[in-house]
Amino acid sequence: MLNLRTLRTADADFDAQFQRVLHWSAETDAAIESRVAEILADVRARGDAAVLDYTARFDGLRAESLQALELTRGELKAAFDGLPAEQARALTQAAERVRRYHERQKQANGESWSYRDEDGTLLGQKVTPLDRVGIYVPGGKAAYPSSVLMNAIPAQVAGVGEIIMVVPTPVRGSVATGGTGGGGSSDKGERNELVLAAAYVAGVHRAFTIGGAQAVAALAYGTATVPRVDKITGPGNAYVASAKKHVFGQVGIDMIAGPSEILVLADGTTPPDWVAMDLFSQAEHDEMAQSILLCPDAGYIAQVREAIERLLPGMPRRDVIRASLEGRGALIQTKSMEEACEISNRIAPEHLEVSSSEPHRWEPLLRHAGAIFLGAYTSESLGDYCAGPNHVLPTSGTARFSSPLGVYDFQKRSSLIEVSEAGAQVLGPIAATLAYGEGLQAHAQAAEFRLKR
Amino acid sequence: MLNLRTLRTADADFDAQFQRVLHWSAETDAAIESRVAEILADVRARGDAAVLDYTARFDGLRAESLQALELTRGELKAAFDGLPAEQARALTQAAERVRRYHERQKQANGESWSYRDEDGTLLGQKVTPLDRVGIYVPGGKAAYPSSVLMNAIPAQVAGVGEIIMVVPTPVRGSVATGGTGGGGSSDKGERNELVLAAAYVAGVHRAFTIGGAQAVAALAYGTATVPRVDKITGPGNAYVASAKKHVFGQVGIDMIAGPSEILVLADGTTPPDWVAMDLFSQAEHDEMAQSILLCPDAGYIAQVREAIERLLPGMPRRDVIRASLEGRGALIQTKSMEEACEISNRIAPEHLEVSSSEPHRWEPLLRHAGAIFLGAYTSESLGDYCAGPNHVLPTSGTARFSSPLGVYDFQKRSSLIEVSEAGAQVLGPIAATLAYGEGLQAHAQAAEFRLKR
């Protein structure tokens, strides 16, 4: 019997209960912070040598030089060529769809523009790709090839000149024993062939088998071998997250992600098994992941609960799913779909499924969400892998003010201003008046110098 | 005699000299950090009462309640109505031009879009304004009404529901003496009427006379009186900057700004006095501001130097200008305009003037800059106040990866996905293959449930 809580918005203590469900805090660990600061400073000072040292110490991977830890495009291609046909096809098709969506995104929101006003003054904005970006890809069990696609393809579509991937390949058997583990490639550390293949398909230019804070430092500051990048994106463990926060300002970073979340807003028309499996697909990520159902129909909620109980024992990751659902999940009975939409806006979920026969009736009421999945056929997992939109989305309520990873994250804008002689006569007196008002006389005189005497 | 350095790219030690000129580091002060953390925690715990305490302690401004520190729209309007006619007109005209530019920006880069693919699957992105934002406006001598326009107008154009301004109004005569200073309004603290008038013109909804880390905390967490916002923008001192960094994640923030910079790229066709005054207009901000000239013509550089020497004594802020030019300024003789463009890209300046008779010849070569000012008539100061584009720009080389403040900073995006029944048959096998490859079976089954059996 699963201990999954049900709340009702009609209950007097709903708000208090609801707050407890939502509560999550990103604790920062002072020991990690200071360890990371040391590693960053050391890589900044000693470059390649420091990166080699930490890679030997933390990943058990020893190399003569950092060049030896670079993967060639040939190695990436070989990984792709070695995939079973079905995986190769799925990877290629997913990449193609993701690319097509991001090309539309670039057209819609990422092009330069300008106009001339009545005085012939040109005003506009030039949009340019970043020169070089770094993509962090975790090693081990959380290595997701789909994340390689979702980070690299928007960068490629933006026109980034060089995309550098870092991915740790720790030697199996741990550092302490110096063990080399099983398998033919273990002397080079454990590689995830799907990740390498995804890097090939997504157009990654260079790749290094390094990870942790040392890899973030190498990308942010540059070393003799690893070129300095302008922005670092991609998920990582607490050390990586801390390192990214530290180097922010020196380079751009994407958001620091919290646990993943799904909110399903159901009107009771979707088969309950589908909704149960969608809730599982979030819960299976890890125990801190959050799955919530909002529905005005008590009978339907009971059916979903029954489906959950029935389907759970068959899931290979049932222990993780159970822990996530019991710890952070909830089935919430609302008074209406309208109220469900309001509650959804308070949550600002990462993933929002509108599992309804009338999704376009509710969509306009939904103001905050990373991605909105409309209708019964749109399982979150289709969006996670291949529908086209990005799966890197704002978590922990940050959808109130931030957006999915996109082409725009790999571009920047520069304002363009060309004031005509006639325009300078109109603008000069305005600027001078305001500048004198602020006590900035050189600003004022620079404007006045452009006036005809 | 001004001790302003001249460098030549032809010199053997140019790179080393150039690095020294550019070097600037944002030192973080541990004492400030820990004081700010305390203030934030206190405001989070005690709300209004804590904000009142800190406002009394730091600004010498005592009030019965936080409501008493709110400025009404009537008070903002009265400030505007009380301005001299010329200032009122200049403020209105500047606001009108800034608004027009940002409306174009919204049209060009900030609208929702969607399309259906061959299977009838809908993909797109919905763009929505933030619900509520906070704008920090410094008190005292660095209170710039133009910054109120530049922060509030893009938010207003984006359609933000509520714009909350905070601006400290410290009581003259300092806290220690409890002095109330001179002037009729001093019991309420020293108000900058132009700032209040700008808030009126820019459509600020609510305003509080609070500042410092306590104001940032009130906006980020909300108190009984100050509503919680989704994003905080605007410049401030080291306490404000530290507080913004701390609350990042809880709310969105804009970039933390470093000293302001101008780079003038000159082909020798602009009157030297104009260029000299443009360099001054950056240098007069503060001693850490940076003004650099890049030019291939030694004779012209000498003329600009002569103009600087001649004009400097007449400037009211000559001491600040001198300190800035001597400490951080440089005149750099390049081998060509092409090389000047390359060096400009290495600097990635906040403000870039292309002071040339052929600005459109050089503009395509310029990849990184906050704003590009084209041609002799386009003094930076026209852009600072009223040309239309935003004057909040990336500093310290961050134009490599970030953009001017804009409408997009007050919007966020949500992906939209509606997979058709036919689409689910195509996408399902792709998603399932990749999900099984990643060991996420619930993801795979959620996709498979949507396949026709």
Side-chain angles (χ1 to χ4, degrees), chain B residues 168-234:
Chain B
T169 57
V171 171
R172 223 181 293 181
S174 97
V175 183
T177 63
T180 52
S185 70
S186 58
D187 56 322
K188 290 183 176 174
E190 218 179 313
R191 296 181 182 176
N192 180 323
E193 294 297 315
L194 261 171
V195 162
L196 270 47
Y200 174 71
V201 170
V204 164
H205 296 95
R206 297 179 70 183
F208 295 90
T209 58
I210 58 177
Q214 59 275 18
V216 173
L219 292 170
Y221 306 127
T223 70
T225 306
V226 180
R228 184 183 83 150
V229 303
D230 299 306
K231 186 164 189 167
I232 301 173
T233 70

Side-chain angles (χ1 to χ4, degrees), chain B residues 9 18 61 125 180 214 248 381:
Chain B
T9 57
F18 179 61
L61 182 61
Q125 209 158 35
T180 52
Q214 59 275 18
F248 174 55
S381 65

Side-chain angles (χ1 to χ4, degrees), chain A residues 274 277-278 281 379-381, chain B residues 441-450:
Chain A
W274 297 14
M277 194 56 72
D278 292 352
S281 72
S379 71
E380 189 211 303
S381 65
Chain B
Q441 300 88 356
H443 282 70
Q445 289 190 37
E448 289 171 341
F449 276 10
R450 270 77 176 184

Side-chain angles (χ1 to χ4, degrees), chain A residues 225-254:
Chain A
T225 305
V226 181
R228 184 183 84 150
V229 304
D230 300 305
K231 187 164 188 168
I232 302 174
T233 70
N237 63 19
Y239 287 86
V240 172
S242 169
K244 281 170 65 182
K245 272 191 218 172
H246 265 94
V247 299
F248 174 55
Q250 170 75 29
V251 297
I253 62 168
D254 58 349

